[in-house]
Amino acid sequence: MKRLLLCLVFIIACSWHVYAQVNSEEVLINRILITLQRGDDSLYATLFPKFDELYRIAQNLQGTDDISNRRITNIRSNPKLLQQFDPQYNPDIITDFDNVKKKGKDSGLHWTDMLLMRYELEKAILPKELIGFEKVVPIRMQGYIYVQDLLTRRAYIIAVRDIHSFNNKWYGGHVVNILEADNTDEYFEKLAKERKVEKQKLLEALYGSADASNPTAADSAAVVKKPAVAKEEDDDDRAKATNDVVERKLYVGKFDNEISVELYIRSLKGACPDAACAWEAIYKFGDQDDYLKLDVSKTPDGKWQFTEEDVGVLEVTIAGDKMTGSWTSFKDKTEYDAVLTEKKEVKNRKLFMLDDIIENQGYANP
């Protein structure tokens, strides 16, 4: 009898380990829902990668050049960057699971009679502080799970993030919210009311200038930093600058010859002796979908500074169609070489889109 019990314990332990080893995103989504149906946060925790495993992968990474070595060093240098994806180190994962379970029940959802309708996942943005994580976990997803209560026929949407794939296996699925809704538009209407803000402000906060009908981030995206509003009359140069655009330039290139960058600059007319008295700029890089606002300054010796508030600064010189310099993080002083080239042929449609982002839309930090 004792041997039989030991065998059962061994089988259960093995099944829990296998449970976490799934071969596709579809299987992972189904298992997330199964743990919600059972209300089993312990079993849910087994779906996530272990910190030890992630750290071992990071330790075994081999860089091929100085750039890749720098990225690998960044992810190795702070273990907390990897610990956030393991429920053992990040209790918020289980807390959010329990909150979603309770909120669904309070909203009238019969978890045991829930049916998966569909799910929509998109590539997750890689935050600057996680540079190098893409070498540990090459596939990172987030999105929404649509379910239906078979008893009431009511539909619900569950927001989920931190879905990861590495070594041909799928892990994670940090559920962060649930609302009764038939589609994402209705979901955001209700989320806006829940947060007591206007829907448009909510969407700008979650996704910035991204198309609201096709969101790319989960419910826990960072809040927008509102763009500075130009005063009607400011000090000297700004008072003399107008909204008349003298020149538009689009630069494309890379940071450290690896991270793709796109930088758009508008030069504005004014009463100063120079052709341009002020500049406006936005940029996006890496996996980002949104353009970010930059404060622009130019020194008398011709050096340019493009500052993203509280994040970092791009310092460059421009010679001909080439822009060279470096981007520096305010947080950890990490520096990346920057080389960009002016794109000579840009379609009007692209320019109109970029102008619209500067003039009419918010800016977001993903």
Side-chain angles (χ1 to χ4, degrees), residues 314-319 322-326 338-340:
L314 174 64
E315 297 180 296
V316 296
T317 56
I318 300 177
K322 290 289 184 182
M323 177 185 289
T324 57
S326 63
V339 179
L340 296 89

Side-chain angles (χ1 to χ4, degrees), residues 184-185 188 199-200 203-204 207-216:
T184 52
D185 189 61
F188 288 117
K199 180 184 174 184
Q200 188 57 40
L203 292 175
E204 289 176 359
Y207 312 116
S209 58
D211 181 2
S213 65
N214 186 28
T216 60

Side-chain angles (χ1 to χ4, degrees), residues 10-126:
F10 178 76
I11 291 171
I12 292 171
C14 290
S15 67
W16 274 44
H17 178 72
V18 172
Y19 197 89
Q21 308 295 307
V22 300
N23 297 320
S24 71
E25 61 187 59
E26 182 178 2
V27 174
L28 181 63
I29 293 297
N30 276 282
R31 293 193 174 175
I32 292 170
L33 294 182
I34 289 172
T35 60
L36 283 166
Q37 285 179 319
R38 297 180 181 179
D40 193 336
D41 54 17
S42 296
L43 195 56
Y44 172 70
T46 68
L47 298 178
F48 289 81
K50 300 301 181 185
F51 161 69
D52 291 345
E53 183 176 7
L54 294 175
Y55 192 68
R56 182 170 59 252
I57 294 173
Q59 290 296 99
N60 292 332
L61 289 173
Q62 297 293 329
T64 57
D65 51 36
D66 290 341
I67 297 171
S68 58
N69 284 330
R70 188 183 303 171
R71 298 174 74 86
I72 292 170
T73 299
N74 180 66
I75 202 64
R76 285 177 181 167
S77 62
N78 187 356
K80 290 183 179 180
L81 295 176
L82 298 176
Q83 289 175 353
Q84 65 181 293
F85 304 112
D86 183 345
Q88 183 177 348
Y89 294 89
N90 182 7
D92 288 345
I93 295 175
I94 300 303
T95 299
D96 290 340
F97 173 89
D98 293 336
N99 289 339
V100 166
K101 173 74 177 178
K102 183 179 185 302
K103 186 177 180 181
K105 181 179 179 181
D106 293 343
S107 300
L109 173 60
H110 299 88
W111 284 106
T112 55
D113 295 290
M114 172 189 63
L115 176 68
L116 172 65
M117 298 169 64
R118 68 184 188 279
Y119 63 90
E120 296 176 356
L121 299 179
E122 293 185 348
K123 187 177 181 180
I125 295 170
L126 182 69

Side-chain angles (χ1 to χ4, degrees), residues 239-363:
K240 297 175 183 177
T242 71
N243 289 327
D244 295 331
V245 179
V246 179
E247 191 175 38
R248 295 173 172 85
K249 288 192 176 184
L250 180 66
Y251 290 86
V252 295
K254 292 186 176 182
F255 287 169
D256 274 355
N257 201 33
E258 187 168 348
I259 307 172
S260 298
V261 185
E262 186 175 293
L263 170 66
Y264 180 59
I265 309 170
R266 298 201 316 181
S267 302
L268 305 179
K269 280 184 180 180
C272 65
D274 300 325
C277 295
W279 300 268
E280 297 171 318
I282 54 177
Y283 77 163
K284 70 173 183 176
F285 62 93
D287 294 333
Q288 290 181 332
D289 292 317
D290 297 332
Y291 288 85
L292 308 174
K293 181 178 183 291
L294 299 170
D295 292 323
V296 187
S297 62
K298 184 180 179 183
T299 62
D301 59 357
K303 292 184 179 179
W304 295 76
Q305 285 190 338
F306 300 89
T307 305
E308 183 184 348
E309 184 181 1
D310 299 330
V311 176
V313 59
L314 174 64
E315 297 180 296
V316 296
T317 56
I318 300 177
D321 62 352
K322 290 289 184 182
M323 177 185 289
T324 57
S326 63
W327 183 89
T328 305
S329 168
F330 292 147
K331 183 177 180 181
D332 57 12
K333 304 305 179 184
T334 302
E335 189 172 294
Y336 301 94
D337 293 333
V339 179
L340 296 89
T341 303
E342 182 185 351
K343 192 171 182 179
K344 296 296 186 181
E345 296 183 4
V346 185
K347 293 182 179 180
N348 286 336
R349 182 178 179 183
K350 173 83 170 182
L351 294 176
F352 291 154
M353 182 270 288
L354 294 171
D355 283 343
D356 182 65
I357 292 174
I358 288 178
E359 295 168 4
N360 302 314
Q361 301 187 37
Y363 302 92

